[in-house]
């Protein structure tokens, strides 16, 4: 037998990747799914190292990274670029790219074209779109085109104006039932998972029991199949009040401000850079340099 390594028949980009069907198995086993947003390669690398299962390149980037008031203005190009960065940092986690507002509302064809762009150009493993209603048809078309798609119901930030602002959904029996129906319709359309945002835990539990695909909650209590948080919220990069569902796991904003303050102080005092941060020349080269340079430039 030859010792020559066998040629790799399949591209290695799938090597080590969490297989998408495994998410349904995790739900069956009662194993929680961990998802976090990320918008660049170093963050994705850290999320991967921490054992996160899914990374969402969320259009929340419009607010937490780019300083906008809402997610509405985020463009498809922005999500494509950020997905490229994130996929360079993430090996095991599945990368889900958010379809921004305006990239799937017009028609099923528009949704498929743009979902394919996120996969082909961005390198996404899957896409996510918001709402029930016409989004059910879009999800069906995207899934039928071979792109794994995740639904998102409850508080849907892209259409927050219609919902009366950024507030919890499903607090009446009628609206709660509507959310269950929307989630079921998204599953039936082919979604591999559904995000539930800002809904009472009883409603999230009902949806989770009704679906055979996993639910991923954000502000939906502890009975969903997984949880997602926004990077900047959970790591303490925001000022002011975060939504009540955010748990801050670190205060990196304060850590960074303190480090930058020390840097500024040391630059101003001359304490930075020190000898170890500077390059040296061999003595003979320095002597030759000193011999040739004009006297006016000598110190
Ligand atoms: O854009 C985003 O980060 C999201 C999460 C809040 C689920 O959609």
């Amino acid at each position: 037998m030859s010792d020559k390594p066998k040629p790799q028949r399949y591209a290695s980009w799938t090597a080590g990747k969490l297989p998408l069907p495994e998410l349904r198995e995790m739900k069956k086993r009662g194993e929680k799914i961990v998802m976090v947003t990320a918008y660049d390669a170093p963050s994705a690398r850290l999320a991967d190292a921490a054992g996160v299962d899914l990374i969402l390149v969320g259009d929340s980037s419009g607010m937490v990274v780019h300083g906008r008031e809402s997610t509405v203005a985020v463009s498809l190009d922005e999500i494509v670029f950020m997905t490229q960065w994130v996929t360079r940092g993430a090996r095991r986690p599945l990368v889900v790219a958010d379809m921004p507002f305006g990239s799937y509302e017009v028609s099923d064809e528009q949704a498929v074209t743009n979902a394919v762009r996120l996969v082909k150009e961005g390198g996404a493993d899957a896409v996510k779109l918001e709402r029930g209603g016409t989004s059910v048809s879009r999800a069906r078309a995207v899934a039928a085109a071979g792109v794994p798609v995740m639904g998102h119901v409850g508080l849907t930030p892209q259409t927050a104006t219609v919902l009366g602002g950024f507030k919890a959904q499903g607090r009446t029996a009628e609206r709660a039932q509507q959310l269950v129906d929307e989630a079921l319709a998204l599953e039936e359309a082919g979604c591999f998972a559904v995000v539930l945002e800002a809904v009472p835990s009883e409603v999230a539990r009902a949806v989770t029991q009704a679906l055979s695909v996993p639910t991923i909650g954000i502000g939906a209590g502890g009975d969903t199949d997984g949880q997602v948080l926004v990077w900047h919220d959970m790591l303490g990069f925001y000022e002011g009040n975060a939504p009540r569902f955010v748990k801050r796991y670190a205060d990196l904003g304060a850590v960074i401000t303190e480090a930058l303050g020390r840097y500024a102080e040391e630059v101003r005092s001359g304490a930075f850079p020190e000898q170890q941060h500077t390059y040296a020349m061999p003595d003979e080269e320095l002597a030759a340099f000193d011999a040739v340079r004009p006297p006016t430039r000598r110190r």
Side-chain angles (χ1 to χ4, degrees):
M1 264 231 316
S2 153
D3 285 342
K4 273 204 338 218
K6 283 210 180 105
Q8 279 263 232
R9 198 175 165 89
Y10 295 104
S12 62
W13 97 91
T14 51
K17 185 67 75 187
L18 177 69
L20 189 99
E22 182 60 17
L23 297 174
R24 220 186 243 247
E25 299 306 312
M26 287 171 80
K27 174 174 179 129
K28 280 192 203 146
R29 294 196 295 267
E31 226 176 279
K32 294 283 186 182
I33 298 165
V34 183
M35 185 175 192
V36 70
T37 68
Y39 315 100
D40 56 31
S43 310
R45 212 169 289 124
L46 292 171
D48 191 350
V52 161
D53 301 308
L54 298 169
I55 296 180
L56 173 65
V57 185
D59 61 0
S60 49
S61 58
M63 298 172 79
V64 299
V65 179
H66 301 131
R68 296 187 179 107
E69 293 282 316
S70 92
T71 61
V72 169
V74 173
S75 71
L76 187 69
D77 283 346
E78 283 173 48
I79 302 284
V80 168
F81 286 134
M82 289 186 293
T83 306
Q84 289 173 348
W85 305 335
V86 166
T87 51
R88 284 179 205 140
R91 293 204 67 78
R92 178 183 172 274
L94 289 157
V95 176
V96 182
D98 234 350
M99 298 198 70
F101 186 63
S103 70
Y104 60 95
E105 282 76 8
V106 176
S107 65
D108 289 355
E109 288 73 19
Q110 184 205 28
V112 172
T113 303
N114 288 330
V116 166
R117 211 181 140 208
L118 288 167
V119 170
K120 277 177 78 95
E121 287 178 44
D125 298 304
V127 301
K128 174 171 85 59
L129 42 73
E130 293 187 4
R131 294 189 311 112
T134 52
S135 293
V136 174
S137 169
R138 308 292 180 261
R140 191 186 310 284
V142 170
V147 177
V149 57
M150 183 181 249
H152 180 160
V153 298
L155 171 56
T156 46
Q158 294 175 5
T159 43
T161 309
V162 179
L163 302 175
F166 284 81
K167 47 187 189 188
Q169 300 296 308
R171 298 177 94 169
T172 63
E174 190 187 350
R175 179 76 176 120
Q177 188 53 48
Q178 197 187 344
L179 291 178
V180 176
D181 293 342
E182 283 176 357
L184 277 168
L186 287 163
E187 168 172 288
E188 190 274 322
C191 286
F192 71 88
V194 178
V195 167
L196 304 176
E197 179 165 353
V199 299
S201 48
E202 294 80 4
V203 178
R205 191 180 312 126
V207 175
T208 303
Q209 285 168 358
L211 298 193
S212 49
V213 297
T215 56
I216 309 287
I218 175 163
D223 291 330
T224 51
D225 299 305
Q227 297 289 328
V228 56
L229 279 178
V230 170
W231 184 270
H232 291 65
D233 291 345
M234 68 172 296
L235 296 176
F237 283 103
Y238 59 85
E239 282 173 6
N241 295 331
R244 65 177 281 142
F245 55 72
V246 170
K247 179 167 177 184
R248 192 187 267 209
Y249 283 84
D251 194 1
L252 297 191
V255 171
I256 292 171
T257 308
E258 190 277 330
L260 288 171
R262 266 188 303 122
Y263 166 64
E265 208 177 283
E266 291 194 3
V267 169
R268 291 185 182 121
S269 71
F272 174 81
E274 295 158 55
Q275 194 59 37
Q276 72 215 28
H277 307 119
T278 61
Y279 297 99
M281 271 173 106
D283 287 349
E284 62 278 14
E285 293 300 333
L286 185 55
F289 182 51
D290 279 344
V292 295
R293 66 188 166 140
T296 48
R297 287 179 48 210
R298 288 192 190 157
R299 279 206 273 168

